[in-house]
Amino acid sequence: MHRKIEETPGREKMLIRLKELRLERGYSMTQAARKIFSHPDTYNRYEKGIREIPLDSLMLLAKTYDCSLDYLAGVSDRPRKYGR
């Protein structure tokens, strides 16, 4: 059994943003998982906050959703394009 990682306001914002970005692009969890070369169950755990997201996966998510890592992580509210 997995236990949920401790919630912080910034982390909660990131999890909400992760789901919103996925839904805005019309991806299922399985489709999003494939975009970052992950198993759907693993992606599900990322989105629910049960598992930490590795940096390489965060970078692929930012590229997939065409946003900055700051925006994806909830540090910034400006959805700048990936890599800018």
Side-chain angles (χ1 to χ4, degrees):
M1 182 167 97
H2 297 278
R3 64 180 174 82
K4 205 162 190 178
I5 297 166
E6 183 178 336
E7 291 294 330
T8 61
R11 180 161 174 74
E12 185 177 328
K13 190 173 188 178
M14 180 182 79
L15 298 175
I16 291 167
R17 189 156 287 164
L18 186 61
K19 184 174 183 177
E20 287 175 347
L21 288 166
R22 177 178 60 80
L23 294 175
E24 282 174 12
R25 277 138 184 95
Y27 295 149
S28 67
M29 281 193 183
T30 299
Q31 291 169 317
R34 286 184 183 141
K35 296 276 185 188
I36 64 166
F37 310 103
S38 180
H39 190 277
D41 290 341
T42 302
Y43 187 90
N44 183 26
R45 290 182 186 115
Y46 292 159
E47 203 170 279
K48 290 184 176 184
I50 297 169
R51 185 170 178 172
E52 289 284 344
I53 307 171
L55 181 58
D56 60 335
S57 294
L58 282 171
M59 292 172 68
L60 285 169
L61 285 165
K63 187 174 184 178
T64 297
Y65 297 143
D66 195 24
C67 65
S68 68
L69 281 171
D70 285 351
Y71 182 75
L72 183 61
V75 175
S76 170
D77 288 327
R78 294 184 327 178
R80 294 181 313 204
K81 299 288 183 184
Y82 175 77
R84 292 189 189 157

